[in-house]
Structure formats: C-alpha cells, structure tokens
Amino acid sequence: MQSLVTFVVLATTFSFSNLSACTSVVITAFEVPAGDTVTISAASGASIEMTGSVSFAYTSATGPLWTFDTDDVTFTGKGYSFKGNGDLYWDGEGTGGGVAKPHPFVKFKGYGSFTDFIIKDSPAQAISVGTTGTSSFTDILVDNLDGAELGHNTDGFDVSASDVTFSGNKVYNQDDCIAINSGSNIVFENNYCSGGHGISIGSISSDKTVSAVTISGNTVVESMYGMRIKVDSDATDASVSDITYSGNTISANDKYGLLISQSYSEDFGTPGTGSIISDINFTGSKTTVTTSGDYPRVGVDCGKCTGTWNWSELVASGGDSSDIVLAGGAKISGGSY
Ligand SMILES: *[C@@H]1O[C@H](CO)[C@@H](O)[C@H](O)[C@H]1NC(C)=O
Ligand SMILES: *[C@@H]1O[C@H](CO)[C@@H](O)[C@H](O)[C@H]1NC(C)=O
C-alpha cells in the first residue's frame, strides 16, 4: 500500500505518473501545488480510497484540477474532502469575469461507483460527470455554503453521460444542483439541494439529446428556481424526452417553481422550433412545487413540444398564476398548477 500512496503524491509533483497496474490506490492527505493537476488512472476494476483530505493551492491551472479516469472502479472518499479553496477566487463574477477560476473542479471519466466524499468550496463548477459506463454517485456532499455572497456558477453536478444514478447527495451552492446536458437512462433520486438554482435538464444546445430521466424523491430548498428544462433558443437537432418526476418536494424563493423553456437563455421569450420537448410526466407519487417569488409558479414556453404529458401528480402553488404556452401540439393532462 505504501508505495501506491507514494505514487499518488508523486503524480502531483511530476508530470508523469503510472498507476495503470495498480488495483488498490490510497489517497493520503496532501496539497496539490499551484500549477499542477492530478489524474488517477488505475487498473480496470481497481479500488480507490481516501485516508485524508486533498487541498488545492491557489492555481492558474485550468480545470479539471482532479480527474478520476478508471474503468469499473470502486471509489470511496470515506468522508474526506477535496478542498478547492474557492474563497481565494470568489469575486461575485463566476466564470464570466473577474479572476480565472479553474473549472470543473473534479471530473469523472471511466466508470464505476463513487461514494462518500466532500467537495469543499469549489472555485466554480464542482463536479463534471463524463463517465462512459454504468455509474453511481452516492452520499456526496458539495459544500459551497461559504460562497453564498460571492460564489457563482458553482454547479453541483454537470452531466454529459448515460446510465448514471445519483442518490443521497447534498448540494449547497449558487447555481444548478444538477444540470443534465446530454445522456439517457439517468436517475436523480433522494438528493437534497439548497441555495442554488434547482434541478435542471439543460441547458441543451444543438445536436444534444436528453432522454429517459427519472427525478424522484428529491428536496429543493431556498433556491432561485425549483426545477427547469432549458433548451437554447437557437438549438437545432436537439431533444428532451421521457422525463419523469415523482415524489419531489421543491421550493423556489425567487423565480419559477417549475420552468420548461425553449427560449434559453431567456426564461420566457421567443422559443426556438429547432428542438423538440416531449413526454414530460409527473406521475408515481406527488411532486409539490412552491414558489414565494413574484413569478409564475409554473412556466412553459414551448416552440415545439409534443405528446401527451401526464401531470396528474403535480401540485404547484405560490407565486403568480402559471403561464403555459404549448406551441407544437403537446397536451397536459391532470395536475394542479
Ligand atoms: C408519459 O405520459 C404519457 C401519457 O400518459 C404516456 O403516454 C408516456 O408513456 C409517459 N412517458 C413516460 C416516460 O412514462
Ligand atoms: C397518469 O399518471 C397517473 C399516476 O401515475 C396514473 O394513475 C394514470 O393512469 C396516468 N394517466 C394516463 C392517461 O396515462
């Protein structure tokens, strides 16, 4: 074990590292120096665990600062943290201005199970998921609570991957709790989101597809939006289909409780017709959506939406009355909104 530990530390100091024969990797406490990034590429089937937290010096390196790239991996953080020292970067401008902020902070390639670790204070986007096989992300805490004033674009999970389950995670941040940008067979269940922009599919750009997503049993509190499907207004050959919401408890403090829009980056505008949104259902057990802001509790801004949407298990309240524009022929059945 000891020599493997050494490999990991060396990986940060030199530009070479070779863990490709390692089936057991231990990550001890250390600091990643300025300018360096780390990639863990162990043998297929490897087990990786942490025995201490990893801290990152203020750096001008671009993200990801840490990459997991191992197939069939079993990773457990054992409750330890990746400390991004976001407060050294946060200036209220996010990735759109101000000081350069390395992002994403941690990237997942390869595939497997990833559990029980903490992301503490990511400079901007926390976790990028680009896995290539069946994967699960469980019992992860993204704690960007300290960015409440100056943290921006601190997305919890940004997902471009298929066959992934997210379960029992907690995200405290200032942007999307999860943003699903492409992929299919994705489950987001029993997670807790606080302070951010809620649970999002999108934003969807040209040639991207999201399908067969289940969003169930989640709780969203103190968030700008509750849940969104957002498709770029100029997107072509893009689609969002077969999305099922069940048993979620969602509260938005400011804007829409639920927003489905093909006008992104506007909430409501001139929706595009180069993409299709179909089969958006609220079924199974009841999903409650509330908003306390002066926005419609539910907004639907479709340029081209199709199918019959079963909203029988949606109960939305608060805010202003709902604003539903269903161009494209979609029909909504049931629900209270
Ligand atoms: C959504 O509801 C519609 C109408 O009930 C149904 O035809 C469709 O199969 C449902 N989609 C999913 C993914 O369950
Ligand atoms: C809509 O969903 C509800 C709850 O899951 C189900 O009982 C009902 O049969 C569905 N309606 C249609 C038209 O599929």
Side-chain angles (χ1 to χ4, degrees):
M1 284 284 195
Q2 197 56 40
S3 63
L4 298 175
V5 170
T6 308
F7 268 124
V8 174
V9 176
L10 283 173
T12 70
T13 312
F14 302 105
S15 58
F16 64 87
S17 65
N18 193 346
L19 299 172
S20 63
C22 298
T23 56
S24 175
V25 175
V26 176
I27 300 166
T28 59
F30 72 103
E31 183 179 76
V32 178
D36 281 346
T37 62
V38 179
T39 297
I40 305 288
S41 300
S44 180
S47 298
I48 303 176
E49 67 174 47
M50 297 174 80
T51 60
S53 294
V54 178
S55 185
F56 294 75
Y58 181 86
T59 186
S60 57
T62 55
L65 298 184
W66 183 283
T67 302
F68 283 100
D69 188 4
T70 299
D71 289 347
D72 194 23
V73 68
T74 302
F75 169 66
T76 173
K78 297 209 155 173
Y80 290 104
S81 304
F82 294 93
K83 298 180 177 176
N85 287 305
D87 55 319
L88 302 177
Y89 305 83
W90 293 333
D91 55 9
E93 302 208 47
T95 53
V99 303
K101 300 166 188 75
H103 64 281
F105 178 38
V106 175
K107 169 106 192 173
F108 292 87
K109 299 178 175 176
Y111 65 94
S113 65
F114 306 95
T115 191
D116 196 20
F117 63 92
I118 296 170
I119 299 290
K120 177 68 176 159
D121 298 345
S122 60
Q125 289 85 350
I127 295 174
S128 169
V129 176
T131 45
T132 54
T134 303
S135 297
S136 63
F137 292 83
T138 57
D139 299 321
I140 296 161
L141 169 64
V142 175
D143 176 5
N144 282 334
L145 207 51
D146 292 342
E149 295 299 319
L150 293 174
H152 274 266
N153 305 125
T154 51
D155 301 32
F157 297 93
D158 286 308
V159 182
S160 295
S162 295
D163 307 311
V164 192
T165 298
F166 299 86
S167 177
N169 305 296
K170 292 196 170 101
V171 175
Y172 297 83
N173 69 340
Q174 297 81 35
D175 207 309
D176 293 322
C177 180
I178 183 170
I180 300 172
N181 300 115
S182 68
S184 63
N185 298 317
I186 297 167
V187 175
F188 189 71
E189 64 184 7
N190 303 329
N191 302 287
Y192 182 87
C193 306
S194 175
H197 298 178
I199 296 171
S200 294
I201 291 174
S203 57
I204 307 290
S205 52
S206 291
D207 303 313
K208 302 292 185 196
T209 296
V210 172
S211 66
V213 177
T214 301
I215 294 172
S216 67
N218 302 290
T219 303
V220 174
V221 302
E222 294 184 20
S223 290
M224 182 184 284
Y225 301 86
M227 297 194 287
R228 284 185 290 175
I229 296 174
K230 38 180 174 161
V231 179
D232 294 351
S233 61
D234 62 357
T236 54
D237 297 314
S239 67
V240 175
S241 62
D242 295 334
I243 313 299
T244 303
Y245 297 91
S246 173
N248 302 286
T249 304
I250 308 293
S251 65
N253 281 10
D254 186 5
K255 300 192 175 181
Y256 299 81
L258 169 67
L259 176 66
I260 298 173
S261 175
Q262 279 168 314
S263 291
Y264 197 74
S265 59
E266 307 259 19
D267 286 339
F268 242 81
T270 306
T273 54
S275 60
I276 297 180
I277 298 179
S278 63
D279 286 324
I280 310 303
N281 291 351
F282 289 82
T283 52
S285 43
K286 204 160 289 304
T287 286
T288 59
V289 174
T290 63
T291 182
S292 49
D294 292 328
Y295 278 76
R297 59 188 80 101
V298 175
V300 179
D301 185 26
C302 284
K304 193 174 185 183
C305 291
T306 64
T308 301
W309 300 1
N310 184 345
W311 283 19
S312 61
E313 298 300 327
L314 173 67
V315 177
S317 61
D320 293 344
S321 55
S322 296
D323 190 356
I324 311 282
V325 177
L326 272 178
K331 291 191 170 45
I332 295 175
S333 73
S336 161
Y337 52 86

